[in-house]
Amino acid sequence: MDDPHLIPLSALQHYAFCPRQCALIHNSQVWSENWLTAQGQLLHQRVDQGEPETRKGVRYERGVLVSAPRLGLTGKLDLLEKELASGTLLPVEYKRGKPKSHDADAIQLCAQAMCLEEMTGQFITRGALWYWQVRHRTDVELGSTLRERTLQVIEQVSRLLSSGELPHAKPGKHCSACSLQEWCQPESQAKDCSMDYLTDLFSAEEDNQ
Ligand code: SF4
């Protein structure tokens, strides 16, 4: 679990949400709590502290640690459901908000399932996302498209973390849900980048004259 070369599962969700956010957290060690992240932390603590239990033929294990050296991942599952009759495993990830238009949560869930596959040898076909704000559980098929996208994100995160780089900000609607806005300064950062671009452009033109 403590192997520093393994990528935390949460980094995949951060990257799929915004590569700069991922680099700020995992390369620059910046973390800032706002009420959204604080609520999320509390939710995860509550879930993790729950005792294992068995109901209607299903075993519920909380705060399950996973480590998959071949994939290069490590982390913790909020909840693992095991159907006792068939042995079928199903990871469940708890989220504070509601279902979103991006695939960051599904990627994190798929990566959790792939970690379990590496550890158990069992193929996992489904997982679930549970959204606290709307009290809604969404079943997620772990199909080939999602798996390919997840592998792609693992590769991209691996490159980002080993480079130590901080990508430029790409401000958008998603910034309003980001607790790192104050650190990131997305608007002024984007202006700086366009100034860099213009400066480069003009100096290239001058070089050509
Ligand atoms: S403020 Fe926007 S660009 Fe900056 S890290 Fe957050 S989501 Fe990314």
Side-chain angles (χ1 to χ4, degrees):
M1 270 304 296
D2 291 323
D3 186 338
H5 303 296
L6 298 181
I7 297 168
L9 282 163
S10 60
L12 306 179
Q13 198 266 354
H14 295 144
Y15 185 94
F17 177 73
C18 170
R20 183 170 167 84
Q21 189 200 62
C22 178
L24 280 167
I25 296 170
H26 300 277
N27 280 348
S28 310
Q29 318 299 322
V30 173
W31 178 251
S32 176
E33 203 75 277
N34 64 11
W35 70 274
L36 294 172
T37 56
Q39 270 192 341
Q41 300 268 20
L42 273 174
L43 172 67
H44 282 102
Q45 274 168 22
R46 265 183 21 205
V47 175
D48 288 357
Q49 280 163 8
E51 291 295 315
E53 57 180 327
T54 302
R55 273 183 280 127
K56 295 182 181 168
V58 179
R59 176 81 177 159
Y60 298 87
E61 299 273 352
R62 296 177 169 88
V64 177
L65 299 174
V66 290
S67 179
R70 280 204 302 277
L71 273 173
L73 298 176
T74 184
K76 194 194 275 187
L77 274 56
D78 289 331
L79 177 66
L80 179 61
E81 296 180 359
K82 181 175 184 178
E83 210 177 271
L84 294 178
S86 62
T88 303
L89 297 174
L90 187 144
V92 183
E93 171 68 12
Y94 282 67
K95 293 294 176 196
R96 187 209 61 82
K98 49 190 177 186
K100 306 162 186 101
S101 54
H102 58 71
D103 58 2
D105 296 344
I107 285 170
Q108 185 181 8
L109 181 71
C110 183
Q112 292 176 355
M114 289 161 81
C115 286
L116 287 169
E117 288 173 350
E118 183 172 322
M119 292 169 76
T120 65
Q122 179 185 136
F123 187 65
I124 297 170
T125 56
R126 286 170 49 243
L129 294 165
W130 197 91
Y131 289 97
W132 181 72
Q133 192 181 337
V134 289
R135 307 288 197 275
H136 181 73
R137 176 170 163 143
T138 306
D139 286 330
V140 180
E141 291 290 331
L142 305 173
S144 56
T145 308
L146 179 58
R147 283 170 183 271
E148 276 162 31
R149 169 96 173 105
T150 302
L151 287 171
Q152 193 183 40
V153 171
I154 295 170
E155 173 68 32
Q156 288 165 336
V157 173
S158 169
R159 260 189 270 131
L160 179 68
L161 299 197
S162 39
S163 73
E165 284 172 4
L166 181 61
H168 290 309
K170 288 194 182 148
K173 262 168 62 183
H174 61 314
C175 296
S176 59
C178 176
S179 68
L180 303 185
Q181 272 190 83
E182 229 176 283
W183 293 88
C184 169
Q185 300 285 317
E187 298 296 343
S188 55
Q189 230 279 320
K191 270 186 213 139
D192 287 352
C193 294
S194 40
M195 282 309 293
D196 287 352
Y197 172 75
L198 287 174
T199 310
D200 288 350
L201 193 68
F202 283 122
S203 48
E205 278 187 1
E206 277 166 17
D207 289 346
N208 285 339
Q209 283 168 5

